[in-house]
Amino acid sequence: MNLLAAQTLSSGEKKLYDLVMKYRAEKGLPAIPVSKSLTIVAQTHVKDLQDNGPSEGRCNMHSWSAKGRWKSCCYTDDHAQAACMWSKPAELTSYKANGYEIAYMSSAEVTAEGALAGWKISPGHNQVVINAGMWNTPWKAIGIGVYKNYAVIWFGHEPDSLM
């Protein structure tokens, strides 16, 4: 892991990163370099989720509130607004490629083990983590955010130029 990026991860985020990389290694997959840009996006989003939650009942955890330095986004289960989420890395950082997020919420403070377990039992989220199905293009960047009741991981197909 790049030292610059390692300095930006909390202990809970580092633990989640390590658990995800161990899981990927068990599947014969390579580690993904930590991206400073995608970590900034992830850390920003978990705080927005914790403080503001999805803004409307039909908006899911990939949504962004109107209470920050970003464009608000109501991400619905039909994925009609997917581009508003995918473009967040370019909107918030110098990472110009799309980013793809998986999100987890717990009624208690989230743990790295709980988040990974939740993603592993969700077929769609698990495919993102292990590059399966429509997500078979290798990831070249990853960002982690863990804050109170939320955990998110952002994945990218391009390396982060900040590294």
Side-chain angles (χ1 to χ4, degrees):
M1 179 170 31
N2 182 288
L3 274 179
L4 177 63
Q7 294 173 352
T8 67
L9 296 179
S10 71
S11 61
E13 291 162 347
K14 169 99 170 63
K15 185 173 189 176
L16 181 55
Y17 174 82
D18 291 343
L19 287 173
V20 169
M21 293 311 114
K22 180 180 178 196
Y23 177 54
R24 286 177 55 81
E26 291 166 1
K27 301 285 187 186
L29 297 167
I32 307 166
V34 174
S35 158
K36 182 171 180 153
S37 296
L38 294 181
T39 296
I40 289 167
V41 175
Q43 291 171 342
T44 301
H45 197 212
V46 289
K47 288 180 180 152
D48 183 45
L49 286 167
Q50 183 68 42
D51 295 344
N52 304 303
S55 59
E56 302 172 27
R58 63 187 179 86
C59 302
N60 67 28
M61 287 190 290
H62 300 303
S63 301
W64 289 69
S65 77
K67 299 178 181 173
R69 60 180 183 88
W70 52 79
K71 294 176 193 159
S72 65
C73 172
C74 177
Y75 195 108
T76 53
D77 290 341
D78 64 2
H79 308 285
Q81 299 299 319
C84 77
M85 184 262 284
W86 297 342
S87 64
K88 284 297 179 246
E91 184 181 338
L92 298 173
T93 71
S94 62
Y95 189 85
K96 297 308 174 200
N98 283 342
Y100 306 95
E101 178 188 59
I102 58 174
Y104 177 81
M105 184 194 79
S106 174
S107 58
E109 190 162 322
V110 77
T111 66
E113 295 87 355
L116 181 57
W119 290 322
K120 284 167 92 173
I121 63 169
S122 168
H125 293 102
N126 191 53
Q127 286 184 348
V128 175
V129 174
I130 63 170
N131 291 114
M134 69 180 274
W135 303 104
N136 63 358
T137 302
W139 300 121
K140 299 202 175 151
I142 190 172
I144 312 274
V146 175
Y147 183 67
K148 296 185 179 179
N149 300 79
Y150 290 90
V152 302
I153 298 180
W154 282 76
F155 296 89
H157 292 300
E158 298 298 324
D160 189 343
S161 63
L162 290 179
M163 306 321 293

